[in-house]
Amino acid sequence: MTNPIEVRNPRTGKFDYVIIPPPPRLLAQQCKRTRRGQVRWQQLGLEGRIEALQQWKEAILSGRDRLTEALVNDTGRLSTSVLEIDSFLSSIDRWCKLAPELLQDSAKNTAIPFIALQQTSVPYPLVGIISPWNFPLLLSTIDTIPALLAGCAVIVKPSEIAPRFVAPLKTALSAVPELRDVLTFVEGAGATGSDLIENVDLVCFTGSVATGRKVAEAAAKRFIPAFLELGGKDPAIVLESANLELATSAILWGSVVNTGQSCLSIERIYVAESIFEKFYHQLVAKAYRLQLAYPTVESGEIGPIIAERQAAIISGHLLDAVEKGAVIHCGGVIEDLGGGWWCRPTVLTQVNHSMKVMTEETFGPIMPIMPFSTVEEAVSLANDSIYGLSAAVFASEAEALEVAQQIDAGAISINDAALTAIMHEGEKNAFKFSGMGGSRMGAAALKRFMRKKAILIKTNATNDPWWFETGE
Ligand code: NAD
């Protein structure tokens, strides 16, 4: 037997939910059963798989209220949960529409006239997904949908910090027998994630750099591919030519949405010194207009800090910054309201790269702003990080494009912020310690779940010129 894990409610601080991780032997059996189902799933063909996913979507829609309630209890926020559900459901439609073209096999002539080539793809039988707590539904399903359409079976281990959304998804699954056999959710924490890697053929991991390293090592030992989507410390650069009204609104959203608990949050802001004062005054004024979603979920835009351990990290970063000379203009404290931990949008100036708030992932609604005098300096500050997930540049379009080319990160939003949260079409890699493996976005995302297989066909009946001369 394994020990049950009690789950904390981020709004009340009460432990009001329990999950029971499967013992390793049971997990291995679940993986075996899911893997067995994959054979029929692949035989079902793409049309059948699309139909099953659409049935699942309909079943989720008919129980949408329960899913919303579970996700709100997991995360303490409402409007972002609604967005999360919408985004998940629309991803099912998007992939169902794209898959037929992406999964087409092709026949080709080759450089050798009597050898034909059939290029086919074979799905990995069993894909393991390990996901974090900040967007629990979206990040458990973002790789699941394309993997299922590719013909893989999938076993998902969501975060132990926000697992309530799984129950309504499972209820909806019970209405779709074809899918129920090849999509399994398991509950548990790190030990279950680690056991899972021992039983799958490919792993998609979203989480911290520290855990990502363990996942990569475990996968390497088994020679299975590991796709890692890890932490970030996204910079925004604001040049003199930027539209300030637009830049402050975009940066506020990109830093503070989901209470800053996004890998692609803007966590450092570099502003041309000529517009620095104006910029931060405007940002502070806008930040003051946002309200905590307390006492009710509808009361405001800023939800609670979901993971208790994150509250300590945010407050540690703020303390470190203030001790080293930073000035806080709004927010700046972790508040205990109704048993939950809360942090209002916080703007800091007088910051530098000796501070954790400028170098380590804070994962809170914190906006430290630093002036620069030349574009070269801005680029060098933006690139002074172990992370390279994404970034934003605000300037005239031509100028911004030039700067974007010099930033060491996988996606750059221009005159907007965190666009990869909304738009999943552009292929991108996570640079540096922000990840490893193929693009999770765009068409390439689906192809990660297939192995290429070349069928080479001799089409004539004479000896090949490179064979041994053995005839009379
Ligand atoms: P985490 O690394 O603590 O946990 C992530 C998942 O890994 C959880 O399900 C956890 O149970 C599991 N896990 C823990 N130890 C494991 C092990 N040894 N083997 C296998 N699985 C294990 O991360 P978190 O705190 O849940 O999430 C926050 C982090 O995720 C942040 O760093 C954030 O930037 C990152 N993140 C990245 C992206 C992205 O797309 N790049 C998206 C969201 C979050």
Side-chain angles (χ1 to χ4, degrees), residues 27 31 128 130 155 190-205 211-212 214-222 224-226:
L27 177 67
C31 290
I130 302 173
I155 184 144
T192 308
S194 160
D195 291 341
L196 182 65
I197 300 167
E198 299 307 313
N199 290 282
V200 295
D201 305 307
L202 178 156
V203 61
C204 292
F205 172 81
T211 314
K214 291 183 196 162
V215 169
E217 285 169 1
K221 276 193 189 134
R222 294 200 55 235
I224 61 167

PDB file of all heavy atoms in Angstrom, residues 27 31 128 130 155 190-205 211-212 214-222 224-226:
ATOM      1  N   LEU A  27       0.708   0.237 -10.723  1.00  0.00           N
ATOM      2  CA  LEU A  27       0.982   1.185 -11.815  1.00  0.00           C
ATOM      3  C   LEU A  27       1.492   0.437 -13.046  1.00  0.00           C
ATOM      4  O   LEU A  27       1.070   0.694 -14.183  1.00  0.00           O
ATOM      5  CB  LEU A  27       1.997   2.240 -11.364  1.00  0.00           C
ATOM      6  CG  LEU A  27       2.408   3.242 -12.437  1.00  0.00           C
ATOM      7  CD1 LEU A  27       1.249   4.147 -12.828  1.00  0.00           C
ATOM      8  CD2 LEU A  27       3.587   4.092 -11.996  1.00  0.00           C
ATOM      9  N   CYS A  31      -0.199   0.376 -16.729  1.00  0.00           N
ATOM     10  CA  CYS A  31       0.541   0.706 -17.953  1.00  0.00           C
ATOM     11  C   CYS A  31       0.422  -0.435 -18.956  1.00  0.00           C
ATOM     12  O   CYS A  31       0.230  -0.214 -20.157  1.00  0.00           O
ATOM     13  CB  CYS A  31       2.008   0.974 -17.629  1.00  0.00           C
ATOM     14  SG  CYS A  31       2.254   2.507 -16.726  1.00  0.00           S
ATOM     15  N   GLY A 128       3.948   8.581 -21.693  1.00  0.00           N
ATOM     16  CA  GLY A 128       3.718   9.038 -20.314  1.00  0.00           C
ATOM     17  C   GLY A 128       3.755  10.559 -20.263  1.00  0.00           C
ATOM     18  O   GLY A 128       4.630  11.182 -20.854  1.00  0.00           O
ATOM     19  N   ILE A 130       3.727  13.805 -17.614  1.00  0.00           N
ATOM     20  CA  ILE A 130       3.849  14.244 -16.207  1.00  0.00           C
ATOM     21  C   ILE A 130       3.707  15.767 -16.201  1.00  0.00           C
ATOM     22  O   ILE A 130       4.415  16.453 -16.937  1.00  0.00           O
ATOM     23  CB  ILE A 130       5.218  13.823 -15.627  1.00  0.00           C
ATOM     24  CG1 ILE A 130       5.383  12.298 -15.723  1.00  0.00           C
ATOM     25  CG2 ILE A 130       5.353  14.287 -14.173  1.00  0.00           C
ATOM     26  CD1 ILE A 130       6.762  11.791 -15.330  1.00  0.00           C
ATOM     27  N   ILE A 155      -0.727   7.657 -20.715  1.00  0.00           N
ATOM     28  CA  ILE A 155      -0.959   7.571 -19.284  1.00  0.00           C
ATOM     29  C   ILE A 155      -0.473   8.885 -18.664  1.00  0.00           C
ATOM     30  O   ILE A 155       0.640   9.326 -18.924  1.00  0.00           O
ATOM     31  CB  ILE A 155      -0.302   6.293 -18.713  1.00  0.00           C
ATOM     32  CG1 ILE A 155      -0.598   6.096 -17.255  1.00  0.00           C
ATOM     33  CG2 ILE A 155       1.138   6.175 -18.972  1.00  0.00           C
ATOM     34  CD1 ILE A 155      -0.774   4.619 -16.895  1.00  0.00           C
ATOM     35  N   GLY A 190       5.893  12.726  -6.840  1.00  0.00           N
ATOM     36  CA  GLY A 190       7.136  12.458  -7.568  1.00  0.00           C
ATOM     37  C   GLY A 190       7.442  10.976  -7.736  1.00  0.00           C
ATOM     38  O   GLY A 190       7.882  10.544  -8.801  1.00  0.00           O
ATOM     39  N   ALA A 191       7.180  10.192  -6.687  1.00  0.00           N
ATOM     40  CA  ALA A 191       7.528   8.759  -6.761  1.00  0.00           C
ATOM     41  C   ALA A 191       6.724   8.075  -7.868  1.00  0.00           C
ATOM     42  O   ALA A 191       7.255   7.235  -8.612  1.00  0.00           O
ATOM     43  CB  ALA A 191       7.244   8.092  -5.412  1.00  0.00           C
ATOM     44  N   THR A 192       5.457   8.461  -8.008  1.00  0.00           N
ATOM     45  CA  THR A 192       4.622   7.857  -9.062  1.00  0.00           C
ATOM     46  C   THR A 192       5.117   8.300 -10.441  1.00  0.00           C
ATOM     47  O   THR A 192       5.166   7.503 -11.386  1.00  0.00           O
ATOM     48  CB  THR A 192       3.133   8.249  -8.858  1.00  0.00           C
ATOM     49  OG1 THR A 192       2.780   7.938  -7.513  1.00  0.00           O
ATOM     50  CG2 THR A 192       2.225   7.522  -9.807  1.00  0.00           C
ATOM     51  N   GLY A 193       5.517   9.601 -10.539  1.00  0.00           N
ATOM     52  CA  GLY A 193       6.070  10.092 -11.803  1.00  0.00           C
ATOM     53  C   GLY A 193       7.315   9.303 -12.174  1.00  0.00           C
ATOM     54  O   GLY A 193       7.490   8.878 -13.327  1.00  0.00           O
ATOM     55  N   SER A 194       8.155   9.088 -11.184  1.00  0.00           N
ATOM     56  CA  SER A 194       9.395   8.377 -11.429  1.00  0.00           C
ATOM     57  C   SER A 194       9.115   6.918 -11.826  1.00  0.00           C
ATOM     58  O   SER A 194       9.737   6.378 -12.753  1.00  0.00           O
ATOM     59  CB  SER A 194      10.224   8.539 -10.160  1.00  0.00           C
ATOM     60  OG  SER A 194      11.184   7.610 -10.050  1.00  0.00           O
ATOM     61  N   ASP A 195       8.149   6.273 -11.165  1.00  0.00           N
ATOM     62  CA  ASP A 195       7.776   4.896 -11.547  1.00  0.00           C
ATOM     63  C   ASP A 195       7.216   4.843 -12.971  1.00  0.00           C
ATOM     64  O   ASP A 195       7.450   3.887 -13.715  1.00  0.00           O
ATOM     65  CB  ASP A 195       6.693   4.348 -10.597  1.00  0.00           C
ATOM     66  CG  ASP A 195       7.243   4.099  -9.194  1.00  0.00           C
ATOM     67  OD1 ASP A 195       8.467   4.009  -9.057  1.00  0.00           O
ATOM     68  OD2 ASP A 195       6.425   4.014  -8.251  1.00  0.00           O
ATOM     69  N   LEU A 196       6.471   5.887 -13.306  1.00  0.00           N
ATOM     70  CA  LEU A 196       5.832   5.903 -14.633  1.00  0.00           C
ATOM     71  C   LEU A 196       6.884   5.826 -15.743  1.00  0.00           C
ATOM     72  O   LEU A 196       6.711   5.101 -16.735  1.00  0.00           O
ATOM     73  CB  LEU A 196       4.995   7.187 -14.773  1.00  0.00           C
ATOM     74  CG  LEU A 196       4.213   7.349 -16.070  1.00  0.00           C
ATOM     75  CD1 LEU A 196       3.144   6.285 -16.189  1.00  0.00           C
ATOM     76  CD2 LEU A 196       3.577   8.730 -16.164  1.00  0.00           C
ATOM     77  N   ILE A 197       7.977   6.563 -15.548  1.00  0.00           N
ATOM     78  CA  ILE A 197       9.016   6.600 -16.597  1.00  0.00           C
ATOM     79  C   ILE A 197       9.561   5.198 -16.876  1.00  0.00           C
ATOM     80  O   ILE A 197       9.973   4.896 -17.994  1.00  0.00           O
ATOM     81  CB  ILE A 197      10.141   7.580 -16.188  1.00  0.00           C
ATOM     82  CG1 ILE A 197       9.553   8.979 -16.019  1.00  0.00           C
ATOM     83  CG2 ILE A 197      11.267   7.614 -17.217  1.00  0.00           C
ATOM     84  CD1 ILE A 197      10.464   9.964 -15.327  1.00  0.00           C
ATOM     85  N   GLU A 198       9.515   4.330 -15.866  1.00  0.00           N
ATOM     86  CA  GLU A 198      10.027   2.960 -16.043  1.00  0.00           C
ATOM     87  C   GLU A 198       9.122   2.108 -16.928  1.00  0.00           C
ATOM     88  O   GLU A 198       9.475   1.014 -17.336  1.00  0.00           O
ATOM     89  CB  GLU A 198      10.170   2.267 -14.671  1.00  0.00           C
ATOM     90  CG  GLU A 198      11.142   2.960 -13.732  1.00  0.00           C
ATOM     91  CD  GLU A 198      12.511   3.173 -14.380  1.00  0.00           C
ATOM     92  OE1 GLU A 198      13.032   2.228 -14.988  1.00  0.00           O
ATOM     93  OE2 GLU A 198      13.031   4.314 -14.294  1.00  0.00           O
ATOM     94  N   ASN A 199       7.900   2.599 -17.208  1.00  0.00           N
ATOM     95  CA  ASN A 199       6.915   1.753 -17.899  1.00  0.00           C
ATOM     96  C   ASN A 199       6.459   2.272 -19.256  1.00  0.00           C
ATOM     97  O   ASN A 199       5.596   1.668 -19.884  1.00  0.00           O
ATOM     98  CB  ASN A 199       5.662   1.614 -17.012  1.00  0.00           C
ATOM     99  CG  ASN A 199       5.926   0.760 -15.786  1.00  0.00           C
ATOM    100  OD1 ASN A 199       5.960  -0.450 -15.874  1.00  0.00           O
ATOM    101  ND2 ASN A 199       6.147   1.399 -14.647  1.00  0.00           N
ATOM    102  N   VAL A 200       6.977   3.442 -19.679  1.00  0.00           N
ATOM    103  CA  VAL A 200       6.462   4.021 -20.929  1.00  0.00           C
ATOM    104  C   VAL A 200       7.543   4.035 -22.009  1.00  0.00           C
ATOM    105  O   VAL A 200       8.714   3.759 -21.736  1.00  0.00           O
ATOM    106  CB  VAL A 200       5.911   5.454 -20.679  1.00  0.00           C
ATOM    107  CG1 VAL A 200       4.698   5.416 -19.757  1.00  0.00           C
ATOM    108  CG2 VAL A 200       6.993   6.379 -20.121  1.00  0.00           C
ATOM    109  N   ASP A 201       7.132   4.385 -23.241  1.00  0.00           N
ATOM    110  CA  ASP A 201       8.071   4.375 -24.366  1.00  0.00           C
ATOM    111  C   ASP A 201       8.554   5.770 -24.740  1.00  0.00           C
ATOM    112  O   ASP A 201       9.428   5.930 -25.599  1.00  0.00           O
ATOM    113  CB  ASP A 201       7.381   3.754 -25.590  1.00  0.00           C
ATOM    114  CG  ASP A 201       6.833   2.386 -25.259  1.00  0.00           C
ATOM    115  OD1 ASP A 201       7.608   1.550 -24.763  1.00  0.00           O
ATOM    116  OD2 ASP A 201       5.613   2.164 -25.444  1.00  0.00           O
ATOM    117  N   LEU A 202       7.910   6.778 -24.166  1.00  0.00           N
ATOM    118  CA  LEU A 202       8.273   8.178 -24.425  1.00  0.00           C
ATOM    119  C   LEU A 202       7.683   8.977 -23.278  1.00  0.00           C
ATOM    120  O   LEU A 202       6.598   8.650 -22.787  1.00  0.00           O
ATOM    121  CB  LEU A 202       7.638   8.601 -25.764  1.00  0.00           C
ATOM    122  CG  LEU A 202       7.792  10.031 -26.278  1.00  0.00           C
ATOM    123  CD1 LEU A 202       7.616  10.038 -27.809  1.00  0.00           C
ATOM    124  CD2 LEU A 202       6.837  11.026 -25.679  1.00  0.00           C
ATOM    125  N   VAL A 203       8.395  10.021 -22.844  1.00  0.00           N
ATOM    126  CA  VAL A 203       7.835  10.816 -21.744  1.00  0.00           C
ATOM    127  C   VAL A 203       7.799  12.295 -22.123  1.00  0.00           C
ATOM    128  O   VAL A 203       8.732  12.822 -22.718  1.00  0.00           O
ATOM    129  CB  VAL A 203       8.602  10.563 -20.413  1.00  0.00           C
ATOM    130  CG1 VAL A 203      10.070  10.940 -20.519  1.00  0.00           C
ATOM    131  CG2 VAL A 203       7.969  11.311 -19.252  1.00  0.00           C
ATOM    132  N   CYS A 204       6.654  12.925 -21.828  1.00  0.00           N
ATOM    133  CA  CYS A 204       6.517  14.378 -21.973  1.00  0.00           C
ATOM    134  C   CYS A 204       6.422  14.941 -20.567  1.00  0.00           C
ATOM    135  O   CYS A 204       5.475  14.610 -19.837  1.00  0.00           O
ATOM    136  CB  CYS A 204       5.240  14.758 -22.713  1.00  0.00           C
ATOM    137  SG  CYS A 204       5.232  14.273 -24.421  1.00  0.00           S
ATOM    138  N   PHE A 205       7.365  15.766 -20.216  1.00  0.00           N
ATOM    139  CA  PHE A 205       7.386  16.300 -18.857  1.00  0.00           C
ATOM    140  C   PHE A 205       7.273  17.819 -18.888  1.00  0.00           C
ATOM    141  O   PHE A 205       7.985  18.482 -19.634  1.00  0.00           O
ATOM    142  CB  PHE A 205       8.700  15.900 -18.157  1.00  0.00           C
ATOM    143  CG  PHE A 205       8.872  16.579 -16.829  1.00  0.00           C
ATOM    144  CD1 PHE A 205       8.227  16.083 -15.705  1.00  0.00           C
ATOM    145  CD2 PHE A 205       9.641  17.737 -16.703  1.00  0.00           C
ATOM    146  CE1 PHE A 205       8.348  16.726 -14.468  1.00  0.00           C
ATOM    147  CE2 PHE A 205       9.774  18.381 -15.475  1.00  0.00           C
ATOM    148  CZ  PHE A 205       9.121  17.863 -14.363  1.00  0.00           C
ATOM    149  N   THR A 211      13.421  18.900 -11.449  1.00  0.00           N
ATOM    150  CA  THR A 211      12.775  17.605 -11.718  1.00  0.00           C
ATOM    151  C   THR A 211      13.040  17.173 -13.162  1.00  0.00           C
ATOM    152  O   THR A 211      13.229  15.984 -13.431  1.00  0.00           O
ATOM    153  CB  THR A 211      11.256  17.684 -11.453  1.00  0.00           C
ATOM    154  OG1 THR A 211      11.027  18.343 -10.225  1.00  0.00           O
ATOM    155  CG2 THR A 211      10.633  16.310 -11.391  1.00  0.00           C
ATOM    156  N   GLY A 212      13.057  18.147 -14.062  1.00  0.00           N
ATOM    157  CA  GLY A 212      13.311  17.833 -15.480  1.00  0.00           C
ATOM    158  C   GLY A 212      14.628  17.091 -15.657  1.00  0.00           C
ATOM    159  O   GLY A 212      14.736  16.165 -16.463  1.00  0.00           O
ATOM    160  N   LYS A 214      16.049  15.118 -13.476  1.00  0.00           N
ATOM    161  CA  LYS A 214      15.867  13.722 -13.026  1.00  0.00           C
ATOM    162  C   LYS A 214      15.130  12.920 -14.088  1.00  0.00           C
ATOM    163  O   LYS A 214      15.445  11.761 -14.351  1.00  0.00           O
ATOM    164  CB  LYS A 214      15.045  13.697 -11.720  1.00  0.00           C
ATOM    165  CG  LYS A 214      15.768  14.259 -10.533  1.00  0.00           C
ATOM    166  CD  LYS A 214      14.901  14.111  -9.294  1.00  0.00           C
ATOM    167  CE  LYS A 214      15.393  15.000  -8.176  1.00  0.00           C
ATOM    168  NZ  LYS A 214      14.424  15.232  -7.134  1.00  0.00           N
ATOM    169  N   VAL A 215      14.115  13.539 -14.689  1.00  0.00           N
ATOM    170  CA  VAL A 215      13.323  12.849 -15.714  1.00  0.00           C
ATOM    171  C   VAL A 215      14.222  12.510 -16.909  1.00  0.00           C
ATOM    172  O   VAL A 215      14.183  11.391 -17.441  1.00  0.00           O
ATOM    173  CB  VAL A 215      12.113  13.722 -16.139  1.00  0.00           C
ATOM    174  CG1 VAL A 215      11.429  13.166 -17.376  1.00  0.00           C
ATOM    175  CG2 VAL A 215      11.114  13.848 -14.981  1.00  0.00           C
ATOM    176  N   ALA A 216      15.039  13.491 -17.331  1.00  0.00           N
ATOM    177  CA  ALA A 216      15.927  13.264 -18.487  1.00  0.00           C
ATOM    178  C   ALA A 216      16.896  12.124 -18.196  1.00  0.00           C
ATOM    179  O   ALA A 216      17.162  11.281 -19.058  1.00  0.00           O
ATOM    180  CB  ALA A 216      16.688  14.545 -18.810  1.00  0.00           C
ATOM    181  N   GLU A 217      17.420  12.086 -16.974  1.00  0.00           N
ATOM    182  CA  GLU A 217      18.386  11.032 -16.627  1.00  0.00           C
ATOM    183  C   GLU A 217      17.710   9.663 -16.627  1.00  0.00           C
ATOM    184  O   GLU A 217      18.252   8.689 -17.152  1.00  0.00           O
ATOM    185  CB  GLU A 217      19.011  11.323 -15.255  1.00  0.00           C
ATOM    186  CG  GLU A 217      20.039  12.444 -15.341  1.00  0.00           C
ATOM    187  CD  GLU A 217      20.506  12.954 -13.973  1.00  0.00           C
ATOM    188  OE1 GLU A 217      20.049  12.426 -12.933  1.00  0.00           O
ATOM    189  OE2 GLU A 217      21.303  13.906 -13.975  1.00  0.00           O
ATOM    190  N   ALA A 218      16.496   9.604 -16.045  1.00  0.00           N
ATOM    191  CA  ALA A 218      15.784   8.314 -15.993  1.00  0.00           C
ATOM    192  C   ALA A 218      15.428   7.847 -17.406  1.00  0.00           C
ATOM    193  O   ALA A 218      15.531   6.658 -17.727  1.00  0.00           O
ATOM    194  CB  ALA A 218      14.517   8.459 -15.144  1.00  0.00           C
ATOM    195  N   ALA A 219      15.030   8.787 -18.258  1.00  0.00           N
ATOM    196  CA  ALA A 219      14.670   8.421 -19.637  1.00  0.00           C
ATOM    197  C   ALA A 219      15.904   7.975 -20.412  1.00  0.00           C
ATOM    198  O   ALA A 219      15.851   7.007 -21.174  1.00  0.00           O
ATOM    199  CB  ALA A 219      13.997   9.607 -20.327  1.00  0.00           C
ATOM    200  N   ALA A 220      17.028   8.670 -20.182  1.00  0.00           N
ATOM    201  CA  ALA A 220      18.260   8.306 -20.892  1.00  0.00           C
ATOM    202  C   ALA A 220      18.680   6.886 -20.532  1.00  0.00           C
ATOM    203  O   ALA A 220      19.117   6.118 -21.398  1.00  0.00           O
ATOM    204  CB  ALA A 220      19.365   9.294 -20.551  1.00  0.00           C
ATOM    205  N   LYS A 221      18.506   6.522 -19.267  1.00  0.00           N
ATOM    206  CA  LYS A 221      18.877   5.159 -18.845  1.00  0.00           C
ATOM    207  C   LYS A 221      18.074   4.133 -19.607  1.00  0.00           C
ATOM    208  O   LYS A 221      18.527   3.025 -19.859  1.00  0.00           O
ATOM    209  CB  LYS A 221      18.627   4.991 -17.347  1.00  0.00           C
ATOM    210  CG  LYS A 221      19.769   5.510 -16.532  1.00  0.00           C
ATOM    211  CD  LYS A 221      19.681   5.066 -15.087  1.00  0.00           C
ATOM    212  CE  LYS A 221      20.745   5.801 -14.293  1.00  0.00           C
ATOM    213  NZ  LYS A 221      20.277   6.350 -13.057  1.00  0.00           N
ATOM    214  N   ARG A 222      16.822   4.473 -19.948  1.00  0.00           N
ATOM    215  CA  ARG A 222      15.964   3.514 -20.661  1.00  0.00           C
ATOM    216  C   ARG A 222      15.998   3.732 -22.189  1.00  0.00           C
ATOM    217  O   ARG A 222      15.266   3.060 -22.917  1.00  0.00           O
ATOM    218  CB  ARG A 222      14.520   3.635 -20.158  1.00  0.00           C
ATOM    219  CG  ARG A 222      14.365   3.211 -18.693  1.00  0.00           C
ATOM    220  CD  ARG A 222      12.927   2.868 -18.396  1.00  0.00           C
ATOM    221  NE  ARG A 222      12.430   1.871 -19.303  1.00  0.00           N
ATOM    222  CZ  ARG A 222      11.326   2.027 -20.055  1.00  0.00           C
ATOM    223  NH1 ARG A 222      10.614   3.125 -19.990  1.00  0.00           N
ATOM    224  NH2 ARG A 222      10.945   1.059 -20.857  1.00  0.00           N
ATOM    225  N   ILE A 224      14.687   6.092 -23.869  1.00  0.00           N
ATOM    226  CA  ILE A 224      13.395   6.542 -24.417  1.00  0.00           C
ATOM    227  C   ILE A 224      13.461   8.064 -24.576  1.00  0.00           C
ATOM    228  O   ILE A 224      14.136   8.749 -23.802  1.00  0.00           O
ATOM    229  CB  ILE A 224      12.188   6.134 -23.527  1.00  0.00           C
ATOM    230  CG1 ILE A 224      12.274   6.750 -22.118  1.00  0.00           C
ATOM    231  CG2 ILE A 224      12.054   4.619 -23.442  1.00  0.00           C
ATOM    232  CD1 ILE A 224      10.984   6.631 -21.319  1.00  0.00           C
ATOM    233  N   PRO A 225      12.760   8.623 -25.575  1.00  0.00           N
ATOM    234  CA  PRO A 225      12.788  10.075 -25.741  1.00  0.00           C
ATOM    235  C   PRO A 225      12.104  10.780 -24.577  1.00  0.00           C
ATOM    236  O   PRO A 225      11.097  10.291 -24.051  1.00  0.00           O
ATOM    237  CB  PRO A 225      11.992  10.315 -27.029  1.00  0.00           C
ATOM    238  CG  PRO A 225      11.732   8.991 -27.629  1.00  0.00           C
ATOM    239  CD  PRO A 225      11.937   7.945 -26.585  1.00  0.00           C
ATOM    240  N   ALA A 226      12.667  11.925 -24.199  1.00  0.00           N
ATOM    241  CA  ALA A 226      12.040  12.759 -23.156  1.00  0.00           C
ATOM    242  C   ALA A 226      11.890  14.164 -23.725  1.00  0.00           C
ATOM    243  O   ALA A 226      12.858  14.758 -24.190  1.00  0.00           O
ATOM    244  CB  ALA A 226      12.921  12.794 -21.915  1.00  0.00           C
TER     245      ALA A 226
END
